[in-house]
Amino acid sequence: MIRPENAPGVAVLGLGPMGAPVARHIARAGFPLQVWNRTRATADEFGHRAVTRPEELRAHVVLSALPDIDQLDQIAPEPVVRRWAAQGTTHVVVLSTTSPDKVHGLADRLGRYGLAVLDAPMSGGDAGARAGTLSLMVGAGPEAYRTVEPVLRSFATTVEHMGPPGAGSAAKLCNQVIVAGTLVAVAEALDLGRRAGLSGGQLVRVLQGGLAAGAVLDAKAAKILHRDYRLGGSAANQVKDLRYATALADTLGAGLPQTRRTRALFEEVLRRGLGDADHAAVYEVVAAEEAAGNE
């Protein structure tokens, strides 16, 4: 089991709102750290820990906080993976939300070079990443999980081994079904309250004190009330996750009727040019739809 006192190196690929704080927690826990980011200036904030090119990484455990496996495939083609393996990399962990099928494909590709693939998608948003209180749903073989678990616990308070590779991604898609559906419900409630002449601040406080309370309400109500959609989790990523969820549902024969309607609302957010905004921007669609329905 990896422990900081005899820790092999850890690398983080992607230093966005989630990846950068994850990397800082790993460094504080005592793991030797390297980082890479497509925008070099962001990586330079980590000083000597930054590398210029992904193939320069020398780490036993590589964590990908890139948007999806597609981006990891782009920066880690066969020559790079071969070099990682030669330089001691043994495990690659996908922290992004993706599909079980893509995890299986990556595991097959990297497995040819002796690298074990784990999927450990993150829940808790950028606030959870900064606080080190993320929830991780892990898909991994038993030995791979035992090896990487201490690294994961350096930036997460809930770490559950859900099953073999791909199981973590399936669990995260279940999470995203709840998050997206709840966010639409919060948007609808606040729009209804506004139309009824209620104080938004008062409404949120009373909702937080009752059965409607929850993490989505806490994290997103202020964004909706102020219509301030600076990035937390993007609408584009929300659509990606819902597409994966409905595709998995199609494979397994699950209906997901509410989720399909939710997906359509978020796809409208993208059509309005708000894909890079926080996913709370679904309020703009909800409010507009309700207004159109009243005409």
Side-chain angles (χ1 to χ4, degrees):
M1 182 177 286
I2 297 172
R3 297 187 186 280
E5 60 264 23
N6 61 353
V10 178
V12 176
L13 301 171
L15 300 172
M18 304 292 285
V22 162
R24 293 188 185 99
H25 284 295
I26 291 170
R28 290 190 197 109
F31 294 95
L33 176 70
Q34 289 185 311
V35 298
W36 175 86
N37 192 67
R38 192 176 298 277
T39 303
R40 175 70 193 195
T42 304
D44 284 343
E45 295 176 12
F46 287 81
H48 69 278
R49 296 184 172 97
V51 301
T52 302
R53 297 184 299 275
E55 57 266 33
E56 297 173 359
L57 293 174
R58 292 179 176 270
H60 289 77
V61 178
V62 175
L63 306 181
S64 173
L66 299 167
D68 202 343
I69 285 177
D70 297 344
Q71 289 76 21
L72 178 59
D73 286 340
Q74 290 170 7
I75 68 163
E78 306 306 308
V80 172
V81 175
R82 192 181 303 116
R83 186 166 172 181
W84 285 354
Q87 294 174 169
T89 299
T90 56
H91 296 77
V92 174
V93 184
V94 177
L95 298 177
S96 51
T97 303
T98 188
S99 71
D101 284 346
K102 285 189 175 181
V103 173
H104 298 153
L106 183 69
D108 289 344
R109 181 168 77 88
L110 271 57
R112 294 196 292 269
Y113 301 93
L115 277 60
V117 168
L118 304 81
D119 53 320
M122 306 174 283
S123 182
D126 56 320
R130 291 192 299 272
T133 58
L134 292 170
S135 176
L136 302 182
M137 298 145 249
V138 187
E143 183 59 33
Y145 177 73
R146 284 192 292 270
T147 298
V148 175
E149 181 187 7
V151 179
L152 302 180
R153 291 195 181 277
S154 70
F155 60 89
T157 52
T158 301
V159 181
E160 287 287 340
H161 185 196
M162 305 301 297
S169 295
K172 179 60 186 295
L173 295 179
C174 295
N175 179 90
Q176 296 304 81
V177 165
I178 294 173
V179 169
T182 304
L183 184 50
V184 169
V186 169
E188 289 184 344
L190 295 184
D191 181 57
L192 182 62
R194 177 181 63 82
R195 293 171 188 275
L198 303 178
S199 160
Q202 279 188 311
L203 180 58
V204 169
R205 284 194 296 275
V206 76
L207 293 175
Q208 287 171 327
L211 192 58
V216 174
L217 179 65
D218 291 346
K220 302 300 178 179
K223 286 181 176 291
I224 291 173
L225 290 178
H226 298 292
R227 301 175 89 158
D228 178 1
Y229 307 124
R230 282 175 288 187
L231 189 58
S234 75
N237 277 337
Q238 187 73 80
V239 170
K240 167 184 71 75
D241 299 348
L242 291 173
R243 287 173 178 167
Y244 283 146
T246 52
L248 182 61
D250 290 342
T251 300
L252 300 177
L256 265 61
Q258 177 173 302
T259 300
R260 295 179 194 278
R261 170 60 175 157
T262 297
R263 171 181 159 178
L265 290 171
F266 278 101
E267 287 177 333
E268 178 61 25
V269 177
L270 268 59
R271 283 192 288 272
R272 290 171 183 248
L274 296 171
D276 291 333
D278 188 273
H279 52 173
V282 73
Y283 177 80
E284 299 302 319
V285 174
V286 168
E289 277 209 352
E290 294 303 320
N294 287 333
E295 290 175 359

